[in-house]
Amino acid sequence: MLIAQVTDIHIGFDRGNPEEFNVRRLLAVLRRIAEGPQRPDLLLLSGDLTEHGDAESYALLARLVEGCPIPVAPMTGNHDLRGPLLAAFPTCPSHDGFVQYAIELKGLRVLVLDTLEEGRHGGGFCETRAAWLSAQLAGHPHAPTVIALHHPPFESGIAWLDCDAREPWIARLAQALEGRRQVVGLLAGHLHRPIHTLWNGIPATVCGSSAAPVALDFTPADPAHPDKRAMITDEPPVYALHRWDGERLISHMEQGGEIDVLARFDAAFQPIVQAIAAERPE
Ligand SMILES: [Fe+2]
């Protein structure tokens, strides 16, 4: 079971430009997913699908993923708006007005959470959303479950962009997940960098972004004093492949676009493949 995750696409950052940078970056990622050796079972678009939440940008995104041969699961991020998102993806389920839904894959459930709090960059998770999550988890206590949400509920060290771990929505999320042993992983976005940690005992992965990454700098930024530090960098777009093997979730990250091949499985490479195979138990 394979989940492809693409996050923080930010279409419409350069609205009206037919050569929009973020569109080109997304296309490079989608091409890599389509042409790579493995076919994922799901394409998770984990929020910040657009820059401004406008209908035109969602329509463009829907067209770009239209030919995708696997199911597409859109999610909300802080740059999104639920109404236009759902209008562009009419088959996307919602619950109580929130873009929250369960996806049943073979041997794995994915619970898509909606952490959008309109007007805020940071996340939100109200009682209504938490009650839905609790009911979903209580109803399927033995089904291995992945939680997908845009906002990571932990501090990464990139302080200017981080949440504050004391925010009430995080406590609410933690409470809903407490003791739910079927949760095998948490998949997030928002930070525009690939990051891994353990949060309350749950393996948590932040997928690198399709749009331009955030610079890796742990020095606190003083909001009152711009210090000319690097904020956004021009590194290749990234996506994740999360592989569920029935026991654990293994997350791989790869960049989009063309990748140069330096060696192939030919007669020259064969001895190393044979040697490694020979080391395995019968
Ligand atoms: Fe975000």
Side-chain angles (χ1 to χ4, degrees):
M1 182 58 53
L2 212 49
I3 300 171
Q5 182 187 4
V6 179
T7 196
D8 297 271
I9 302 166
H10 291 272
I11 286 181
F13 184 82
D14 190 12
R15 251 187 301 194
N17 179 356
E19 297 288 311
E20 184 177 342
F21 188 53
N22 287 348
V23 171
R24 282 189 281 129
R25 290 177 65 97
L26 173 65
L27 288 173
V29 164
L30 294 178
R31 206 175 307 125
R32 183 69 202 156
I33 294 172
E35 294 173 3
Q38 39 273 325
R39 169 66 57 90
D41 300 283
L42 178 73
L43 175 58
L44 196 60
L45 304 177
S46 55
D48 282 1
L49 311 183
T50 66
E51 177 69 13
H52 300 291
D54 58 296
E56 191 189 329
S57 299
Y58 287 113
L60 174 55
L61 174 64
R63 280 202 304 280
L64 294 173
V65 298
E66 202 171 33
C68 186
I70 52 174
V72 175
M75 295 170 49
T76 54
N78 47 295
H79 282 263
D80 291 303
L81 287 175
R82 296 181 185 98
L85 184 156
L86 291 170
F89 293 93
T91 58
C92 177
S94 61
H95 184 82
D96 275 340
F98 296 105
V99 185
Q100 294 206 147
Y101 52 97
I103 305 168
E104 309 286 347
L105 299 172
K106 207 172 161 207
L108 186 67
R109 293 188 92 214
V110 180
L111 296 181
V112 167
L113 303 186
D114 180 335
T115 55
L116 164 62
E117 201 67 35
E118 278 185 33
R120 250 174 77 78
H121 282 284
F125 197 61
C126 58
E127 292 295 345
T128 303
R129 285 171 274 187
W132 179 87
L133 174 60
S134 294
Q136 287 290 328
L137 292 168
H140 301 79
H142 305 298
T145 302
V146 166
I147 304 293
L149 75 177
H150 179 72
H151 292 85
F154 53 84
E155 297 176 22
S156 72
I158 304 173
W160 70 269
L161 187 55
D162 270 343
C163 63
D164 183 317
R166 299 166 299 180
E167 288 172 23
W169 74 270
I170 293 176
R172 208 171 283 124
L173 176 69
Q175 196 180 20
L177 294 174
E178 197 179 344
R180 301 298 188 186
R181 298 179 61 88
Q182 76 263 44
V183 176
V184 296
L186 192 144
L187 309 180
H190 185 60
L191 296 176
H192 289 228
R193 295 210 67 87
I195 298 164
H196 309 278
T197 191
L198 204 62
W199 179 70
N200 293 352
I202 305 170
T205 300
V206 178
C207 180
S209 55
S210 174
V214 163
L216 185 56
D217 188 341
F218 298 142
T219 321
D222 179 352
H225 295 102
D227 58 8
K228 300 277 174 60
R229 69 177 60 203
M231 295 296 263
I232 306 294
T233 58
D234 187 10
E235 297 164 63
V238 171
Y239 74 100
L241 276 180
H242 306 287
R243 180 173 176 268
W244 171 249
D245 67 2
E247 214 172 296
R248 61 177 59 82
L249 196 68
I250 301 122
S251 297
H252 298 259
M253 299 222 182
E254 190 177 43
Q255 68 182 62
E258 296 299 315
I259 294 176
D260 292 337
V261 177
L262 299 180
R264 294 190 180 274
F265 184 25
D266 53 16
F269 207 90
Q270 189 180 16
I272 191 164
V273 176
Q274 285 177 322
I276 293 168
E279 290 172 6
R280 296 202 179 99
E282 289 290 307

